[in-house]
Amino acid sequence: MEGVVSPEPSQRSALDSSSKQDTTNEVLKDSTDAEITKIRLLRAFVEARDPSSKEVDDLMIRRFLRARNLDVEKGSAMFLKYLNWKRSIIPNGYISPSEIAEDIAQEKLFVQGLDKKGRPIIVAFAAKHFQNKNGADGFKRYVAFALEKLCSRMPPGQEKFLSIADIEGWGYANTDLRGYLNALSILQDCYPERLGKMFIVHAPYLFMKIWKMIYPFIDDNTKKKIVFVENKKLKSTLLEEIEESQLPDIYGGQMPLVPIQDS
């Protein structure tokens, strides 16, 4: 357009940098200046070692940094390990339901609604889980499929989800210690800072024996988010975090459960 002078390349670069800086500051508005500095350091470190990391946003970088208590070196190592894991478990960028048909058929994971903080709610029925006949990798893909689904349902600005683990009817036939530990590892190492809270409900005495074996593998940050709920206080406890209109109908709420593959 006549009369308009285009900026020089160096000026455009400065403008782009300024725009990117403003965007970063807006996304990370609840971060301190010190944390933002460390986010930039971690990003520079991982981008130099794995160019694919340029595709992730600052919130993801921050989650890995926070998971390692703002230690840039440890956060970088954790993030690079995650990228390698994702390439092996989700090589095509997504997991087809046909790849995890055995686990889907068990109908053990459901989603519905949001809690009072806007976090998606997932409900897991432990008594419907049985050890995968196709080996550990099949269940790992199912866990990744579920977490990817959950993350895709998060409203803008939301990073966490709420989980209800229902152990009613669980018995030795459902015992899958290896599977439980694999799921825990994926949650903690590949989707850090995603779990907002977990309610464990209807836990029978037998389950507590397995829980004692799992507990040492749970990191301190995750332990703080887990709450065992007494049967007599079930609805009242859930209502502290979830409006009745969003509470699953099986717990006295109004929201029907939806299988995770249909969400």
Side-chain angles (χ1 to χ4, degrees):
M1 184 181 295
E2 188 176 347
V4 176
V5 180
S6 298
E8 294 296 321
S10 59
Q11 293 175 309
R12 286 199 298 270
S13 177
L15 289 171
D16 291 343
S17 177
S18 176
S19 176
K20 186 175 182 180
Q21 181 70 39
D22 291 342
T23 301
T24 296
N25 289 340
E26 176 62 25
V27 170
L28 302 175
K29 56 187 176 183
D30 58 338
S31 289
T32 64
D33 290 341
E35 186 176 60
I36 290 175
T37 297
K38 289 192 173 187
I39 290 169
R40 291 174 183 152
L41 288 171
L42 195 154
R43 177 177 286 285
F45 185 90
V46 297
E47 286 184 357
R49 285 154 182 78
D50 190 330
S52 69
S53 59
K54 295 178 181 180
E55 300 173 9
V56 309
D57 60 25
D58 287 327
L59 290 176
M60 177 176 278
I61 295 291
R62 184 175 70 177
R63 287 193 295 274
F64 280 83
L65 181 64
R66 286 180 173 179
R68 289 297 177 263
N69 298 315
L70 305 187
D71 186 308
V72 173
E73 184 176 353
K74 291 180 179 178
S76 298
M78 184 186 189
F79 183 74
L80 292 170
K81 185 177 179 181
Y82 155 75
L83 291 178
N84 288 329
W85 170 86
K86 190 169 185 179
R87 277 191 284 266
S88 67
I89 294 292
I90 318 177
N92 300 317
Y94 68 95
I95 296 173
S96 168
S98 63
E99 297 177 59
I100 50 174
E102 181 182 339
D103 285 289
I104 284 180
Q106 293 175 3
E107 297 187 333
K108 53 195 172 188
L109 288 182
F110 295 78
V111 296
Q112 49 64 239
L114 305 172
D115 72 1
K116 294 178 180 179
K117 296 180 179 179
R119 301 176 296 196
I121 301 166
I122 181 169
V123 183
F125 294 99
K128 293 187 176 184
H129 172 74
F130 297 91
Q131 190 169 341
N132 197 304
K133 296 177 181 178
N134 296 321
D137 284 349
F139 184 59
K140 288 179 182 178
R141 281 193 290 272
Y142 179 68
V143 173
F145 170 86
L147 288 168
E148 289 289 318
K149 273 277 191 179
L150 264 180
C151 294
S152 71
R153 295 185 73 252
M154 291 178 181
Q158 183 54 257
E159 297 181 77
K160 299 181 185 295
F161 66 88
L162 181 145
S163 172
I164 301 174
D166 196 322
I167 320 296
E168 186 171 22
W170 181 93
Y172 284 126
N174 307 111
T175 302
D176 181 13
L177 184 58
R178 183 182 181 187
Y180 301 155
L181 292 177
N182 282 335
L184 177 64
S185 175
I186 291 171
L187 175 64
Q188 293 183 158
D189 299 337
C190 303
Y191 296 84
E193 298 297 308
R194 283 300 200 181
L195 178 66
K197 176 163 280 190
M198 174 183 285
F199 291 114
I200 298 180
V201 305
H202 299 140
Y205 174 75
L206 284 175
F207 175 76
M208 299 312 297
K209 293 183 178 180
I210 293 295
W211 181 252
K212 288 179 181 179
M213 300 172 70
I214 298 171
Y215 193 75
F217 295 93
I218 305 175
D219 66 38
D220 291 339
N221 287 333
T222 303
K223 287 176 181 174
K224 297 174 185 176
K225 302 171 184 178
I226 300 173
V227 178
F228 278 84
V229 183
E230 296 180 47
N231 289 345
K232 62 182 179 181
K233 296 181 179 179
L234 178 56
K235 185 176 180 180
S236 61
T237 300
L238 294 179
L239 286 174
E240 291 176 5
E241 297 282 345
I242 308 168
E243 297 287 357
E244 190 165 346
S245 63
Q246 300 293 303
L247 187 68
D249 51 13
I250 61 170
Y251 303 122
Q254 302 172 14
M255 188 72 74
L257 291 173
V258 178
I260 193 160
Q261 67 272 15
D262 299 331
S263 64

